[in-house]
Amino acid sequence: MNKNNYALIMAGGIGSRFWPVSRTEFPKQFIDFFGVGKTLIQSTYDRFLQICPAENIFVITNEIYTDLVREQLPALKDNQILAEPIMRNTAPCIAYGSMKIAEINPEAVIVVAPSDHTIANQPAFLKAIEQSMNAASGSNTLITLGIKPNRPDTGYGYIQYVDDTLENDTEIHKVKIFTEKPNLELAKSFIQSGDFLWNAGIFIWSAQAVINAFEKHLPDMFDIFRNGKPHYNTLKEREFIAQAYQLCTNISIDFAIMEKAENVYVLPADFGWSDLGTWASIYEMAEKDYVGNAVMPSEHVMMYNSANCMVNVPKDKLVILQGLHDYIVVESNNTLLICPRAEEQNVKNIVADVKTKFGGKFN
């Protein structure tokens, strides 16, 4: 195993689209949605154990979740848990993590990945990551993984690539453009063109390459975190970060750097990826009965003349559904949600309305 391989797992989100199961105090990355005996963050950590030495895996999360991270990933040392004092999107957390890792090992090659994705084909995933890390080693290249699309999904960002490739890996293509979530007609045209991929939000680069990118494209943020150089991996790190984050813009790495940099490449890949962004993604991955119902758990759920429903309820509760088609039914934390599957994108707005009306009681 290469001692220069590092992983930075991003685990600070609140997963509001999975409400009411995912709550602010216990978000989706800490939940075992599929009953496999591992939460999403535990599965992510275990994947990277096959690529990076255990001491080279870092988790960056909101400071309110550090105890959950310690509980679910007890092998992590305190120095491997990076606590964000406030939410500031992905650019600040990547700047922080990359500069901290660079102080430990200037030769580091880092894979940055969310904590809440699922991967069906583990060997193919590991191959893609290792291939990208080898290509990024010692180079000033920013690499992202692009998923070969199988449908015109409007919920994902897209990456268009060209024929130009890296000299040391002809499977890794130069990126032409990033496009945020398109409408259906545009998504269909992307699929037909054959040169668009889903943006998986998984990045691979050398520590120095991404630091160079921050210096060029986001110099203010570069200066903020460069000032932490004497403090990283010391007892003063947390105090410095608490001050630094107050100065940071709320901005994503995609918008801040990936869409602007000229040295961005993509590896087309296919490893059964899902970002688990909505209840629909859980429905797509779950086992279903002969009429398309996905019920988790199923011991005490009885369904009559009902089809294509996503049902997630407490295992000890008796639930009877009759005449329900294409619905999401979820109960958790003293909250019941019943919503047409076609309107599930409204869940985030519902959560905001609930917070406005009841404060944080149900959030």
Side-chain angles (χ1 to χ4, degrees):
M1 189 175 291
N2 192 327
K3 64 180 178 61
N4 291 334
N5 286 356
Y6 286 76
L8 180 64
I9 300 172
M10 299 181 291
I14 61 175
S16 60
R17 288 185 176 88
F18 281 101
W19 182 87
V21 172
S22 178
R23 297 293 185 100
T24 300
E25 64 181 24
F26 202 92
K28 68 172 181 173
Q29 59 267 33
F30 302 108
I31 296 171
D32 176 8
F33 276 99
F34 298 100
V36 296
K38 290 181 182 178
T39 64
L40 297 177
I41 193 172
Q42 288 172 330
S43 296
T44 302
Y45 176 81
D46 287 350
R47 279 196 293 273
F48 288 120
L49 275 178
Q50 301 178 65
I51 296 170
C52 310
E55 62 272 19
N56 290 5
I57 300 177
F58 293 78
V59 173
I60 185 160
T61 189
N62 191 285
E63 62 183 14
I64 65 175
Y65 302 138
T66 53
D67 287 342
L68 280 172
V69 172
R70 289 190 185 96
E71 178 184 329
Q72 296 203 359
L73 302 175
L76 289 179
K77 297 178 181 177
D78 285 347
N79 189 49
Q80 293 171 266
I81 302 174
L82 287 62
E84 296 183 287
I86 50 178
M87 293 182 181
R88 280 292 185 265
N89 217 314
T90 53
C93 82
I94 290 173
Y96 171 23
S98 299
M99 292 194 190
K100 175 183 170 74
I101 290 170
E103 285 303 302
I104 298 171
N105 182 354
E107 303 300 316
V109 179
I110 307 169
V111 52
V112 180
S115 60
D116 52 5
H117 291 185
T118 61
I119 307 296
N121 188 336
Q122 303 281 347
F125 173 79
L126 297 176
K127 179 178 180 295
I129 295 295
E130 289 175 345
Q131 179 178 351
S132 300
M133 296 188 90
N134 289 336
S137 179
S139 74
N140 190 40
T141 304
L142 309 176
I143 299 174
T144 185
L145 297 187
I147 307 301
K148 296 174 183 178
N150 55 22
R151 63 185 185 277
D153 199 305
T154 60
Y156 295 143
Y158 285 74
I159 302 170
Q160 186 180 22
Y161 64 94
V162 296
D163 290 336
D164 295 349
T165 62
L166 285 176
E167 288 185 11
N168 62 346
D169 193 319
T170 57
E171 293 183 345
I172 301 179
H173 293 259
K174 188 170 179 59
V175 169
K176 181 179 180 180
I177 193 169
F178 287 83
T179 301
E180 278 306 303
K181 301 171 182 178
N183 61 39
L184 184 58
E185 289 305 311
L186 192 56
K188 287 179 178 178
S189 70
F190 288 171
I191 301 299
Q192 291 169 357
S193 73
D195 57 359
F196 280 83
L197 305 163
W198 287 335
N199 184 357
I202 300 171
F203 310 104
I204 303 96
W205 41 51
S206 68
Q208 193 56 55
V210 72
I211 291 171
N212 291 344
F214 272 98
E215 184 175 16
K216 181 176 182 179
H217 300 288
L218 207 59
D220 290 347
M221 192 171 292
F222 168 79
D223 289 339
I224 290 169
F225 287 100
R226 181 182 57 177
N227 291 335
K229 195 175 176 68
H231 308 304
Y232 294 131
N233 308 298
T234 74
L235 295 176
K236 294 184 178 181
E237 178 178 321
R238 187 165 185 176
E239 180 183 351
F240 166 76
I241 290 299
Q243 297 172 351
Y245 263 69
Q246 299 295 332
L247 305 175
C248 286
T249 308
N250 187 331
I251 189 169
S252 71
I253 191 72
D254 298 83
F255 186 74
I257 290 178
M258 301 301 283
E259 295 179 10
K260 299 175 182 177
E262 296 179 353
N263 57 334
V264 178
Y265 287 77
V266 62
L267 175 62
D270 186 6
F271 40 72
W273 167 87
S274 174
D275 69 345
L276 289 192
T278 63
W279 282 111
S281 57
I282 295 285
Y283 176 80
E284 290 298 325
M285 298 187 66
E287 290 187 15
K288 304 173 188 66
D289 63 19
Y290 69 100
V291 290
N293 292 316
V295 183
M296 301 180 299
S298 60
E299 289 89 342
H300 297 101
V301 177
M302 301 173 67
M303 304 190 73
Y304 300 91
N305 187 29
S306 298
N308 303 317
C309 291
M310 168 76 236
V311 183
N312 187 297
V313 295
K315 62 181 180 180
D316 57 348
K317 172 157 285 192
L318 175 62
V319 176
I320 297 96
L321 301 177
Q322 179 163 348
L324 209 58
H325 300 273
D326 299 294
Y327 265 76
I328 296 167
V329 180
V330 181
E331 181 181 356
S332 183
N333 299 304
N334 200 32
T335 304
L336 174 64
L337 171 70
I338 303 172
C339 172
R341 281 177 51 210
E343 299 177 22
E344 67 153 2
Q345 294 291 343
N346 291 333
V347 170
K348 196 169 186 177
N349 296 330
I350 291 170
V351 173
D353 291 343
V354 169
K355 187 171 185 179
T356 299
K357 187 167 185 176
F358 300 106
K361 181 179 179 180
F362 295 102
N363 290 78

